[in-house]
Amino acid sequence: MQSYYEATGDQRVIDLLTKYFRWQLTIPDKDFLKGNWSYCRGADNMAGVHWLYNRTGEDFLLKLAERMWRNMLQWREDEVLQPNVAFQSAIHGVNIAQGFRTSTGWWMQAGKPELLDAAYRNYDKIYNQFGQMPGGMFAACEQVHPGQDDPRYGAESCSIVELMNSCEILTRTTGDPLWAERCEDAALNSYPASQTSDLKALHYFTAPNMVLLESQSQYPNAFPNQLTFDPHYFRCCQHNVAHGWPYYAENLWLATADNGLCASLYSASKVTAKVGAEGAEVTIAEQTDYPFGEQIAFTVSAAKSVSFPLYLRIPGWCKGAKVAVNGRNVETRTDPRSYLVIARAWSNGDKVTLTLPMELGVRVWAKNKNAVSVDRGPLSFALKIGEEWKRFEGCDKLATEQWPAYKVFPTTAWNYGLVIDPANPGASIQVVAQRPSDAQQPFAPEHAPVVLKAKARKITAWTLDYRGLAAVLQKSPAFTAEPLETVTLIPMGSARLRISAFPVAGTGPDAHLWTPAEGMVITDLRATMENGGEPVVLTWKGSMGFCEIRRDGTVISASHPGLTYADVEPPVGKTCTYTVKALGGLTAATVRIAVKAFDPKSSLPEVNIAKLKPLSVTTGWGGVGDGKSAGGGPLTLSGKIYYTGLGLHAKAEAVYACQPEWKRFVATAGIDDAVRHREIGSIVCQIIAEDAVGKQQMLAKSPVLKSGQQMEYHFDVRLPAGTAKLRLVVDDAGDGSNCDHADWVNAGFRKD
């Protein structure tokens, strides 16, 4: 609403916010900002109050801001990163990105210097522990976790946008160009990489080192589908991520206290503002290929000559910046991380040319095993990895042709260490392509305006680990006897698969011999046919992780999570050999079984829903569990694990097309054992038939299935003649949907 008002001047925004903040003033202290989010993100609320005060000057707003300060999490140094603060608020990644600046917001009203410094101290504390990597972000897989500070760990897409917004606010609040630089780091490196290049899908986490984007959980204690690109899943990010570029655009140009203008963030743009002592209106058009190109051109349009200062930000990485006015060089200080100020009388048509030389640079991350990253100007660079994009239905099965979901697999090697001298990167790295960023989307591998060539060697001991992640970095230099190669580096924001924090490859006596990642050891592999025939169910023991599964040498699942797998369409009448090998593992397990046809005398379904693609599925929370529960674990009812079935969360519905030869539907439905000790879980399951014209008929309805009581119910219903669709419905039993994980197992159709 603030942005809308600044764009339109619509008075209704002022009126509404005034009423809203007056209402907040009526809330008793015992109820004020007591919710978890409102308590720990109070700085955003206060920023809105100060924004309105600057436009209306009403005193009650300052009283409200003081009351907010007393009642919200103040993000003192002893609270940041502490798990015992406000339901773990101070270790949640998005909360950190929003909250670390809190004290600086109150400083504008209270004026105490220690409040102004708090954001700097908080930032340093966070990044010294979890931000020792390129990309401008810190590792927080939902929350920060001690020991999870390797560059394979990511930041939530919401965190990236909120970090950008916080740095934009701090730039306006403090006038320190450091915050604009930090905003730029996240915006130009991590933010584009969090989304597909057409901006239709995103993934929950984005990390400097990401080499496989699979549909199942890859981070410890994470939900499924957090690394794939999905247009619908995790709605907080879908909504929040859309704010990133608009807010960035709003902060390209800032007003200064001496009636001037400041180019704070660089991009092709046009600004119209009132400047100078008399408030004369001017327009400045900015043309640039920044962050790919070094030159930025400004053209002034004014009805008459007007005097005002023009501030141009010199980034901290830039040495030897130059500026010219109307073709003549201006002799002035251009210290890194400062503002170059040109105060003069400006006339219509005046031109300013700013040149920001972009030298190659290397950062050594001493706290991350002496890994290195390569920079050119504001951009960090990543290994260009071949990408195979595979469409899938999305975690909630809502992906469409227009809004697709993708898994991304590497097609080229990624486990390289750079051969580089950090003090002289130009000796081994060349800028081989530098073209105008005229593509509609420069942050795509095929359109990267700047490409580097670097010397590297493979590190064979660096592999995927059993979770499908690049194994944790070990100490550099890493010993390798592999041949020297030339690899391509592209901007980190252009790479959807990437290595951005590289080991240094070494061949000398000071190089460290890496230990292969701990792969999952597969033991006790078994193959069974519980139905007296197909499907074949594989079970094994080992650490939970991703496995490659082969049948007679052919891969039938490239990266299957967990300790079970159901082959629902094995070749009947053939003896098959199944092989299971952990991703990153060094050994495999093998088992043979003679596949028999399904026994029609069984009470189990002849056509299991695991073999069918539903017409539609909706679920109230989490993912649609195809062979998994809504929470991502195995389907488990009354202590028994089922290897095929459907996991949903109330309120939910799955719709299947019916064939004329199908006469009955059988299933067991119930509350998953994962929530059996949570007394609030309760569901009602229904089976509804629908004919070709849409007329529906309820065939069966379970009693209330409740955690800790009756938790499952068996259905065996006859389908009416002409049934075209069958709907499996899960309701919440009228008491809310918390913990309402519903499993449909041994579910499908029979022909008798």
Side-chain angles (χ1 to χ4, degrees), residues 287-465:
Q287 293 295 324
T288 184
D289 283 327
Y290 189 92
F292 309 104
E294 298 178 331
Q295 197 169 87
I296 307 168
F298 306 91
T299 302
V300 178
S301 298
K304 60 180 181 179
S305 179
V306 55
S307 296
F308 68 92
L310 176 63
Y311 289 69
L312 305 176
R313 181 176 60 87
I314 308 300
W317 46 261
C318 181
K319 299 177 182 178
K322 297 179 181 179
V323 66
V325 177
N326 296 328
R328 294 185 176 182
N329 291 335
V330 176
E331 297 298 328
T332 184
R333 294 188 62 175
T334 57
D335 297 333
R337 195 168 293 148
S338 68
Y339 293 107
L340 185 160
V341 184
I342 307 173
R344 69 189 299 271
W346 300 93
S347 300
N348 188 55
D350 280 347
K351 297 183 183 298
V352 178
T353 303
L354 176 65
T355 302
L356 301 174
M358 296 180 178
E359 298 180 358
L360 290 173
V362 172
R363 283 179 287 176
V364 179
W365 303 98
K367 293 184 179 180
N368 247 321
K369 316 293 184 5
N370 289 325
V372 297
S373 58
V374 178
D375 306 310
R376 180 181 178 273
L379 298 178
S380 294
F381 280 74
L383 177 70
K384 185 177 183 180
I385 301 171
E387 300 174 355
E388 181 184 7
W389 291 63
K390 293 185 179 180
R391 291 273 300 271
F392 78 114
E393 68 273 17
C395 193
D396 50 11
K397 299 187 184 296
L398 293 177
T400 64
E401 189 71 28
Q402 185 177 5
W403 295 93
Y406 292 98
K407 307 175 185 180
V408 188
F409 297 85
T411 61
T412 57
W414 56 265
N415 53 340
Y416 284 98
L418 294 182
V419 177
I420 192 170
D421 177 2
N424 184 21
S428 57
I429 300 177
Q430 291 181 304
V431 180
V432 297
Q434 185 177 348
R435 54 183 179 271
S437 55
D438 52 3
Q440 186 175 5
Q441 174 54 285
F443 288 111
E446 65 273 19
H447 298 310
V450 180
V451 175
L452 309 180
K453 293 291 185 181
K455 300 299 182 183
R457 298 179 191 268
K458 289 191 181 76
I459 300 173
T460 56
W462 193 21
T463 64
L464 293 175
D465 73 356

Side-chain angles (χ1 to χ4, degrees), residues 526-550:
R526 300 185 180 187
T528 59
M529 291 179 290
E530 292 190 351
N531 300 342
E534 57 177 317
V536 173
V537 174
L538 303 177
T539 60
W540 59 90
K541 294 180 180 178
S543 301
M544 183 70 75
F546 284 79
C547 292
E548 177 190 80
I549 299 172
R550 295 175 179 259

Side-chain angles (χ1 to χ4, degrees), residues 55-252:
R55 284 153 181 81
T56 67
E58 295 199 55
D59 289 341
F60 87 91
L61 292 166
L62 298 183
K63 295 178 182 178
L64 178 60
E66 188 275 333
R67 189 168 181 238
M68 289 176 176
W69 174 248
R70 284 189 287 105
N71 286 278
M72 67 183 175
L73 181 62
Q74 296 179 359
W75 290 87
R76 300 186 304 269
E77 284 181 89
D78 60 345
E79 295 174 326
V80 177
L81 303 183
Q82 295 304 308
N84 58 340
V85 173
F87 310 106
Q88 299 192 336
S89 300
I91 64 172
H92 182 264
V94 183
N95 290 350
I96 290 171
Q98 291 181 253
F100 81 93
R101 61 178 162 85
T102 295
S103 296
T104 305
W106 177 237
W107 163 79
M108 290 194 294
Q109 188 169 333
K112 297 179 180 179
E114 62 270 21
L115 295 172
L116 176 61
D117 294 339
Y120 294 86
R121 295 194 300 268
N122 288 345
Y123 184 97
D124 288 345
K125 182 176 181 179
I126 295 159
Y127 278 76
N128 283 340
Q129 188 168 350
F130 296 103
Q132 295 299 296
M133 58 189 73
M137 291 305 300
F138 55 93
C141 298
E142 195 70 25
Q143 299 172 334
V144 294
H145 297 277
Q148 293 185 15
D149 52 8
D150 185 88
R152 74 182 191 156
Y153 293 106
E156 190 177 332
S157 294
C158 285
S159 295
I160 300 171
V161 173
E162 293 296 351
L163 191 282
M164 290 165 55
N165 183 49
S166 286
C167 290
E168 289 157 358
I169 290 172
L170 287 167
T171 302
R172 301 196 303 267
T173 302
T174 67
D176 188 345
L178 172 64
W179 294 114
E181 196 171 312
R182 287 172 169 172
C183 173
E184 198 174 60
D185 194 5
L188 301 179
N189 295 301
S190 292
Y191 182 52
S194 70
Q195 303 154 74
T196 54
S197 58
D198 62 6
L199 307 185
K200 284 188 172 183
L202 58 82
H203 50 196
Y204 199 55
F205 293 126
T206 300
N209 289 356
M210 301 188 82
V211 297
L212 172 66
L213 307 180
E214 245 290 12
S215 58
Q216 296 295 324
S217 168
Q218 290 176 293
Y219 288 128
N221 304 313
F223 294 113
N225 203 43
Q226 294 189 316
L227 301 187
T228 55
F229 286 113
D230 197 305
H232 300 101
Y233 206 51
F234 293 111
R235 296 300 178 86
C236 60
C237 290
Q238 259 77 6
H239 295 137
N240 212 8
V241 80
H243 297 162
W245 288 132
Y247 286 173
Y248 193 84
E250 287 183 41
N251 286 272
L252 295 175

Side-chain angles (χ1 to χ4, degrees), residues 573-736:
K574 182 179 178 182
T575 298
C576 296
T577 300
Y578 290 90
T579 303
V580 179
K581 180 179 180 294
L583 294 184
L586 302 178
T587 60
T590 299
V591 67
R592 289 170 61 83
I593 188 171
V595 181
K596 299 178 182 179
F598 174 81
D599 181 3
K601 296 180 181 179
S602 165
S603 62
L604 296 170
E606 296 175 68
V607 182
N608 197 297
I609 61 173
K611 295 184 178 182
L612 304 175
K613 181 176 177 60
L615 297 174
S616 64
V617 183
T618 58
T619 188
W621 177 88
V624 176
D626 187 359
K628 297 286 184 181
S629 71
L635 296 163
T636 311
L637 294 177
S638 302
K640 182 177 180 180
I641 296 176
Y642 294 85
Y643 307 108
T644 60
L646 185 67
L648 301 171
H649 183 93
K651 295 182 174 183
E653 181 183 70
V655 183
Y656 294 89
C658 294
Q659 300 299 320
E661 64 269 24
W662 298 347
K663 306 302 182 185
R664 292 163 55 203
F665 182 83
V666 296
T668 297
I671 291 186
D672 191 86
D673 280 6
V675 294
R676 70 179 304 159
H677 301 299
R678 305 290 295 275
E679 295 181 359
I680 55 177
S682 60
I683 59 173
V684 173
C685 298
Q686 303 175 53
I687 299 177
I688 299 173
E690 181 178 320
D691 64 18
V693 296
K695 183 179 179 181
Q696 296 185 359
Q697 176 184 346
M698 182 186 294
L699 304 183
K701 181 178 180 179
S702 75
V704 174
L705 305 176
K706 191 170 180 63
S707 297
Q709 300 179 20
Q710 181 180 356
M711 294 185 62
E712 62 182 71
Y713 183 79
H714 182 69
F715 290 96
D716 188 341
V717 298
R718 187 156 294 278
L719 304 181
T723 298
K725 299 177 183 177
L726 200 71
R727 298 178 180 272
L728 309 183
V729 178
V730 180
D731 283 328
D732 62 9
D735 58 354

Side-chain angles (χ1 to χ4, degrees), residues 475-549:
K475 195 169 183 180
S476 285
F479 178 80
T480 174
E482 294 297 305
L484 188 66
E485 299 181 46
T486 299
V487 297
T488 300
L489 308 183
I490 60 176
M492 179 179 171
S494 299
R496 299 319 184 264
L497 296 182
R498 74 194 75 84
I499 292 293
S500 305
F502 293 87
V504 175
T507 58
D510 62 335
H512 302 272
L513 189 64
W514 281 24
T515 302
E518 180 185 354
M520 181 168 56
V521 177
I522 306 297
T523 62
D524 200 19
L525 175 62
R526 300 185 180 187
T528 59
M529 291 179 290
E530 292 190 351
N531 300 342
E534 57 177 317
V536 173
V537 174
L538 303 177
T539 60
W540 59 90
K541 294 180 180 178
S543 301
M544 183 70 75
F546 284 79
C547 292
E548 177 190 80
I549 299 172

